[in-house]
Amino acid sequence: MKKPGEVFEDSRVYDPGIEAIVPRYDELHDAILNVPPQERTDEIRVLELGAGTGELTAKLLTRFSESSVLAVDHSEKMLAEAERKLETFGDRVDIEQGAFPDDHPASSGEFDLVISSLAVHHLSAEEKRTLFDAVFDALVPGGWFVNGDVIHFDAPHLETLSDAMIKNWVRAKGWEEEEFMERWQASDEYDDPDTLTDQLVWLRESGFDSITSIWQYYNFAVFGGQRPEDPR
Ligand SMILES: C[S@@+](CC[C@H](N)C(=O)[O-])C[C@H]1O[C@@H](n2cnc3c(N)ncnc32)[C@H](O)[C@@H]1O
């Protein structure tokens, strides 16, 4: 039985597999890392929710050379891959098994940046709102939350369009979608995406400012906001 978000039965095939079924996967990661206002050499403390095999984590640690990251995920299998991949970054990365929003974020006012990629859409609407509140508390004043995720369209024809786009993407990678999903034992029966509009409103209700959606490709979007600076 797979945990929500593991996607593949065998986590060793996650990296090549996810690129075949998530269009513009690297571009989505780049968009997440382009949002924080900090300089590349700033010492920033980062929390990553749903780090998986550590792809985004490695890109963050490379781009922000003085950053340190707490990378959290509920999957032992995914974290085993992340541990191998992130070993080279030494004590700049802590890997912890745990679930959000239950176990993480677990502190307040600690992080300059909270990021997540393709993970939060597994939560129900209520859980997403609880998570946004907890992320707000976990940030330092002025800190940013950036989420790159699957979103839902209210208009059924746009959902159909997104499905067709993904099928075409998989085909362009040399597979028929059904054949791919079967061969790689891939599925995500736990998906529960919400609309971008709802999530931007929930961020506002959690107290975030500068709420923005910076990138979108069909039903994938990168969005977030800033915890306001404390008033002087
Ligand atoms: C599709 S993968 C994305 C991994 C990585 N962020 C990336 O961009 O490739 C989703 C990850 O989120 C994790 N995940 C999903 N729901 C979670 C939750 N509630 N708590 C902790 N981890 C979760 C899964 O175990 C999985 O590793």
Side-chain angles (χ1 to χ4, degrees), residues 102-218:
D102 297 343
D103 309 317
H104 291 278
S107 58
S108 60
E110 181 183 349
F111 298 99
D112 302 293
L113 176 64
V114 177
I115 54 172
S116 186
S117 156
L118 303 170
V120 174
H121 69 278
H122 299 293
L123 302 181
S124 68
E126 214 38 58
E127 290 168 326
K128 287 187 188 88
R129 301 184 73 163
T130 303
L131 181 69
F132 292 175
D133 286 347
V135 167
F136 184 90
D137 288 342
L139 286 166
V140 299
W144 275 82
F145 172 42
V146 191
N147 184 26
D149 213 353
V150 183
I151 56 161
H152 171 73
F153 290 111
D154 275 335
H157 75 283
L158 295 179
E159 285 285 295
T160 307
L161 189 68
S162 298
D163 287 347
M165 179 276 296
I166 291 173
K167 282 198 172 72
N168 285 337
W169 178 270
V170 176
R171 195 168 301 131
K173 295 275 173 190
W175 294 89
E176 286 303 320
E177 203 197 15
E178 266 177 43
E179 180 198 349
F180 177 91
M181 298 306 257
E182 209 170 289
R183 167 83 176 273
W184 293 61
Q185 293 174 286
S187 71
D188 226 334
E189 57 268 28
Y190 303 97
D191 283 3
D192 197 2
D194 283 287
T195 64
L196 182 57
T197 313
D198 279 347
Q199 296 186 78
L200 298 180
V201 169
W202 298 339
L203 286 173
R204 168 76 73 216
E205 287 173 358
S206 293
F208 287 93
D209 255 0
S210 304
I211 292 157
T212 192
S213 168
I214 190 177
W215 180 94
Q216 185 172 352
Y217 189 69
Y218 294 80

Side-chain angles (χ1 to χ4, degrees), residues 4-7 14 18 25 29 48 50-53 55-56 72-75 78 98-100 117-119 122-123:
E6 284 181 335
V7 188
Y14 177 87
I18 201 73
Y25 174 74
H29 280 177
E48 185 183 356
T53 62
E55 269 300 289
L56 178 63
V72 168
D73 201 287
H74 62 185
S75 163
M78 297 290 265
F100 55 81
S117 156
L118 303 170
H122 299 293
L123 302 181

Side-chain angles (χ1 to χ4, degrees), residues 25-94:
Y25 174 74
D26 282 324
E27 205 177 298
L28 178 139
H29 280 177
D30 280 343
I32 293 172
L33 298 181
N34 283 338
V35 172
Q38 289 93 350
E39 300 293 330
R40 287 174 181 235
T41 49
D42 284 352
E43 271 185 42
I44 53 169
R45 179 85 183 121
V46 185
L47 170 66
E48 185 183 356
L49 300 167
T53 62
E55 269 300 289
L56 178 63
T57 330
K59 290 170 186 165
L60 175 105
L61 287 160
T62 304
R63 183 182 295 214
F64 293 95
S65 58
E66 304 303 317
S67 60
S68 64
V69 183
L70 172 60
V72 168
D73 201 287
H74 62 185
S75 163
E76 306 87 341
K77 291 196 289 186
M78 297 290 265
L79 290 180
E81 296 306 307
E83 258 162 37
R84 261 192 289 281
K85 189 179 295 168
L86 301 173
E87 203 184 343
T88 180
F89 295 100
D91 62 8
R92 289 178 58 209
V93 57
D94 287 316

